[in-house]
Amino acid sequence: MLTMLWNNLPTIIGSLIVFGVVGAILYNGFRNRRSGKHSCSCGGSCSGCANSSLCHPSTGKKS
């Protein structure tokens, strides 16, 4: 058993690094989503952007 772990140590370490990076990216995305931040980048001209309602949702109150 110990020999198998020793022979596959580089693969195990590489896999842990990849899973750690993917987990950090997912955690950051979920945290941003919960805080109301979105990844929309209209470039500053939201009036012509088709996804402006996703970046800037209405508050639900109309006066």
Side-chain angles (χ1 to χ4, degrees):
M1 171 89 178
L2 196 56
T3 305
M4 183 192 73
L5 288 175
W6 185 255
N7 289 337
N8 293 318
L9 191 62
T11 304
I12 294 169
I13 291 173
S15 298
L16 289 174
I17 291 171
V18 168
F19 286 132
V21 169
V22 170
I25 291 170
L26 289 174
Y27 174 74
N28 191 24
F30 287 131
R31 191 179 60 181
N32 286 344
R33 177 67 70 164
R34 292 189 103 195
S35 67
K37 297 178 186 175
H38 297 283
S39 63
C40 180
S41 60
C42 301
S45 60
C46 291
S47 62
C49 180
N51 292 325
S52 64
S53 62
L54 297 174
C55 293
H56 310 286
S58 62
T59 58
K61 294 182 179 180
K62 291 187 176 182
S63 53

